[in-house]
Amino acid sequence: MPDPTTLDPAADKSLEAQALKAVKKPSQPASRIYAVDGGWRVQAYVWKNLFIRTHRSAMPWFIGRKNRWIRGFVWWFKDPRGWKIFKFWSYCIGVGVGLGGVSQYISATIVATAFAGLLTALLTVWTLLSLLFIGILTAGNYIYSSIYRLSYRCPFCFESMTIPVFICSNQACGTRHTRLWPSLYGVFHHKCIHEVGPVGPDGKPQLCGTKLPTLNFLGRSKLERHCPHCDMELNKTIGVAAPVHIAVAGGTNAGKTYLLVTATRDLIQNYARANGRDYTITFPSDEDRLNYEDNLTRLTPGHRLDQTLKRPNAYNLDIHAPHSALAKRFLPRASLSRLAYVYDVMGESFRTSAEMSVQKFYSYINALIFVIDPFAIPDFADKHRDEIRQLGDALSASKADIQQSYERMRELLEVSAKLKANERTNRPLAVVVTKVDALGLENVIGAPAAQKLMVDDPSICLEEDAISLLVRSFLIENGESNLVASMESRFNNIRYFSCSALGGMLGSAPETGYVSIRSVDPLVWTLGFSHGVDAISERKALADAQHRAQGKALGGLRSLRYYYWNSLRPQSLERGI
Amino acid sequence: MAVERCPRCDRALSSGKAVHWSCFFRRASIPISIAVLTVLVVLSGSLLVVHFVK
């Protein structure tokens, strides 16, 4: 290190710049908080150079006698030929010069020490406050995320992430910030220091300087974000709304994509506003919305939809729940949105174990919809062989083995969710028999049959319960008792549905367009179980009203006994029909 | 394996449960409250009567 006492001004400036610049390149393209970075470097610089600098500036007082001018001056006074009075003054000047040097040492030390002490105190308080705020904000963010089960999952590669990569909002910059949270790079915002221009005349490059908020409520959610694994752009609702993951599985041509498209249409257009509901359901991603609109456009004149891609495809639905003004005032986050991830799993994806491993979303799935094409049931297909042959391609019957499709889905869930052998899961499973518009199936497992069953057995008060019993019975009667037993031995919450995505044969679209039959029901039920929509409360209110009406018909105390006790007795799925 | 469900909330119940108690108490909350209040009023009234008669 060069001796500072002998440095020329240019070298001195270089030394200062060396001491004050960042020691190492930060891992984030952002400047650290002054209190933990620049401030302490200034402090270290001051302590390191204080006495050297003071010594340098004070030395001339002491070495002044060696100076030619002073030496000459003193010689003149010391000259024995000179006057005595001048000799006296020469000593006075010598003492004065010495005292001046000492006082400079003392005053410089006092001032510099005071400055260093003040700076240390200021930086310590600043650092402690920063750490305190970082701790509070991190803990608050963690608690809030835990309560609302907020997480970041990529709908493209299905990987989970602690935080996405945020892109600097400056168009000329666009730098990737991988840890945009309260940290030593900034409590409330990070200042981007990416170079956005050439080196200027002052020798410094032009830096971005954009302030990026570190928390969603401060505006971070408005920034562009990417998946750190696959680098696909994520929509802005991910990580902000509570996620609900629903997988739709089944064999090839079982009608999963048709079911999803029409169920989504019914969910947005009908369910969201029916019966006094006030949900706002939208696509947070433009790509998802365009795909959905394209599918609807293709479906209207009766064109076939494209089969699901080789990789499972997920789309997001932003479900904004209604809340009263009072709830919004006192619970600002009561109106938190839900973000449904709906995974359309290709039937072929189940074929090999290698392809199964791609479907890693099973590890965090909340609910499952298993789609069954009734014409893929061997016994049912045998019974209706001639009719199925007559309908031909219009039926687009699935040839996949239902049991095999289910077993692979179960195996995947077991492996991904780490379920033990024979362990039951509380994840809801909706078993959906599709294409009930064909061969009069609606009269066997649809609404008319359900109404008849409810008349025959008054203890069944809801149509959806009756349909569930009918579909289960239908599967057992058609040789799928093993499938039913297998599903019921693994899933605690299982319900059977019957629906028709199109309400008619493909290619014979009515002028008014296809009207689906109950295709939204499985989606609403699974969303209800996963707290995506408030379907369970609606069911409770409906059951209360039905049971009250049934109880009133009994009259007297029996009505009370029925309403408060008998109607609440658990119902078994195994009761005969 | 038989799966039993609550007819009100559709939740799966462990076998052998008489009713889903959560739904029972939710539905019977008003009668239970009235009954508890009545018992409290009768008891406190009885205590007052006993106190003043003695």
Side-chain angles (χ1 to χ4, degrees):
Chain A
M1 189 175 161
D3 180 10
T5 59
T6 58
L7 281 179
D8 61 70
D12 191 31
K13 198 171 181 180
S14 163
L15 177 76
E16 185 177 320
Q18 197 181 351
L20 297 183
K21 78 174 184 183
V23 176
K24 59 180 179 180
K25 194 180 177 185
S27 60
Q28 290 291 299
S31 56
R32 289 195 188 93
I33 299 173
Y34 181 77
V36 295
D37 190 33
W40 291 109
R41 275 189 280 114
V42 168
Q43 177 75 301
Y45 172 77
V46 168
W47 279 116
K48 194 173 175 182
N49 295 286
L50 169 69
F51 297 104
I52 297 169
R53 288 291 177 89
T54 307
H55 180 67
R56 274 178 60 197
S57 58
M59 275 310 283
W61 292 104
F62 298 106
I63 62 175
R65 288 176 211 178
K66 292 176 185 174
N67 183 287
R68 186 181 293 174
W69 185 83
I70 292 180
R71 200 162 41 185
F73 186 70
V74 171
W75 173 84
W76 187 73
F77 279 111
K78 281 186 175 179
D79 187 352
R81 292 170 294 175
W83 297 337
K84 292 280 182 187
I85 188 78
F86 287 140
K87 278 188 179 177
F88 168 76
W89 282 113
S90 72
Y91 286 119
C92 284
I93 287 168
V95 171
V97 166
L99 284 176
V102 170
S103 70
Q104 184 170 353
Y105 262 118
I106 292 169
S107 60
T109 306
I110 288 171
V111 169
T113 308
F115 166 75
L118 196 67
L119 187 64
T120 304
L122 187 72
L123 290 177
T124 306
V125 172
W126 192 345
T127 305
L128 289 175
L129 277 176
S130 300
L131 291 174
L132 182 71
F133 272 101
I134 289 169
I136 289 171
L137 289 173
T138 305
N141 195 41
Y142 176 78
I143 292 167
Y144 179 79
S145 301
S146 301
I147 290 172
Y148 289 103
R149 297 178 297 126
L150 299 180
S151 60
Y152 290 98
R153 310 273 189 197
C154 177
F156 302 100
C157 68
F158 315 127
E159 291 281 358
S160 59
M161 63 200 91
T162 312
I163 192 168
V165 176
F166 288 94
I167 309 296
C168 178
S169 55
N170 183 356
Q171 295 287 332
C173 179
T175 306
R176 299 158 64 87
H177 291 254
T178 55
R179 295 204 308 254
L180 191 56
W181 57 53
S183 67
L184 297 181
Y185 288 97
V187 179
F188 299 107
H189 62 258
H190 289 190
K191 189 176 177 184
C192 183
I193 54 167
H194 182 68
E195 294 177 14
V196 291
V199 177
D202 57 351
K204 293 177 183 173
Q206 191 184 338
L207 302 180
C208 174
T210 307
K211 289 183 176 180
L212 304 170
T214 54
L215 290 165
N216 286 337
F217 75 87
L218 295 173
R220 187 181 65 177
S221 56
K222 291 173 187 165
L223 297 176
E224 182 183 334
R225 75 277 300 276
H226 287 238
C227 172
H229 303 286
C230 67
D231 202 33
M232 292 293 284
E233 187 178 347
L234 304 175
N235 69 64
K236 291 185 170 61
T237 320
I238 292 174
V240 177
V244 176
H245 302 271
I246 296 171
V248 183
T252 314
N253 277 341
K256 299 182 297 296
T257 308
Y258 290 92
L259 176 72
L260 275 181
V261 170
T262 54
T264 307
R265 180 193 62 189
D266 289 355
L267 189 74
I268 294 171
Q269 294 180 0
N270 303 327
Y271 177 83
R273 299 284 168 184
N275 297 333
R277 298 183 198 103
D278 191 22
Y279 292 105
T280 306
I281 303 173
T282 52
F283 287 94
S285 157
D286 286 341
E287 190 185 345
D288 288 345
R289 184 178 51 77
L290 290 172
N291 278 342
Y292 162 76
E293 286 171 357
D294 183 49
N295 278 335
L296 275 189
T297 310
R298 288 170 65 86
L299 208 55
T300 306
H303 294 153
R304 285 183 187 280
L305 300 181
D306 292 335
Q307 279 201 324
T308 309
L309 299 168
K310 275 290 178 191
R311 276 181 69 82
N313 186 28
Y315 66 88
N316 288 137
L317 281 175
D318 181 14
I319 304 170
H320 194 76
H323 277 91
S324 66
L326 196 68
K328 275 183 182 172
R329 180 168 180 178
F330 291 103
L331 299 166
R333 294 287 154 187
S335 57
L336 185 82
S337 291
R338 300 293 190 270
L339 183 68
Y341 287 66
V342 186
Y343 300 89
D344 184 2
V345 186
M346 191 187 183
E348 283 83 350
S349 296
F350 286 131
R351 281 184 181 162
T352 66
S353 296
E355 284 170 328
M356 283 162 66
S357 66
V358 177
Q359 304 177 63
K360 56 190 81 163
F361 53 83
Y362 273 95
S363 59
Y364 49 80
I365 209 79
N366 295 111
L368 292 138
I369 298 176
F370 184 64
V371 182
I372 296 175
D373 182 350
F375 307 108
I377 300 173
D379 286 14
F380 184 77
D382 282 347
K383 283 180 201 167
H384 300 274
R385 189 179 300 138
D386 295 336
E387 292 150 294
I388 291 170
R389 193 180 300 133
Q390 279 175 6
L391 289 168
D393 283 348
L395 208 56
S396 40
S398 170
K399 292 179 177 61
D401 187 295
I402 299 169
Q403 183 76 34
Q404 202 176 21
S405 297
Y406 166 73
E407 288 300 332
R408 282 176 179 164
M409 181 190 80
R410 181 189 58 75
E411 188 186 326
L412 197 55
L413 184 68
E414 276 180 12
V415 173
S416 305
K418 296 182 174 60
L419 293 178
K420 293 174 190 164
N422 300 323
E423 184 184 345
R424 297 172 73 88
T425 174
N426 281 326
R427 290 175 180 81
L429 171 68
V431 181
V432 187
V433 174
T434 53
K435 304 176 184 175
V436 293
D437 58 280
L439 305 185
L441 264 176
E442 178 66 358
N443 294 321
V444 181
I445 53 174
Q451 290 298 331
K452 186 173 176 299
L453 180 63
M454 288 165 70
V455 172
D456 294 343
D457 184 354
S459 68
I460 306 167
C461 66
L462 297 176
E463 190 182 282
E464 60 189 66
D465 291 353
I467 288 177
S468 182
L469 289 169
L470 285 167
V471 173
R472 182 179 185 276
S473 177
F474 168 81
L475 290 173
I476 292 171
E477 283 168 10
N478 286 285
E480 296 296 338
S481 52
N482 282 342
L483 174 71
V484 170
S486 177
M487 291 191 291
E488 290 179 1
S489 68
R490 304 292 290 181
F491 291 89
N492 281 329
N493 293 304
I494 183 168
R495 177 163 282 271
Y496 300 88
F497 295 86
S498 65
C499 73
S500 170
L502 303 176
M505 292 292 170
L506 197 64
S508 58
E511 284 183 7
T512 51
Y514 291 112
V515 179
S516 59
I517 302 171
R518 299 184 301 279
S519 65
V520 76
D521 288 4
L523 190 57
V524 167
W525 184 75
T526 45
L527 281 172
F529 254 90
S530 317
H531 308 290
V533 294
D534 205 10
I536 292 178
S537 295
E538 288 180 18
R539 181 197 158 89
K540 285 176 183 172
L542 203 59
D544 286 348
Q546 293 277 357
H547 288 155
R548 197 184 295 275
Q550 286 176 343
K552 272 186 183 171
L554 296 171
L557 283 175
R558 283 198 300 172
S559 72
L560 294 176
R561 183 181 166 82
Y562 177 80
Y563 181 68
Y564 289 116
W565 190 257
N566 288 345
S567 65
L568 291 174
R569 301 296 292 270
Q571 293 180 346
S572 171
L573 285 171
E574 279 193 337
R575 57 183 168 173
I577 295 173
Chain B
M1 187 176 172
V3 178
E4 288 191 329
R5 314 191 63 76
C6 171
R8 182 171 181 267
C9 68
D10 199 31
R11 290 277 167 185
L13 300 175
S14 54
S15 57
K17 254 193 170 181
V19 288
H20 184 206
W21 292 110
S22 171
C23 279
F24 170 77
F25 284 114
R26 181 70 188 85
R27 197 177 262 189
S29 57
I30 293 173
I32 288 171
S33 304
I34 291 170
V36 169
L37 274 176
T38 307
V39 169
L40 285 175
V41 167
V42 168
L43 274 177
S44 55
S46 306
L47 284 172
L48 281 173
V49 167
V50 168
H51 176 75
F52 285 113
V53 167
K54 274 178 98 177

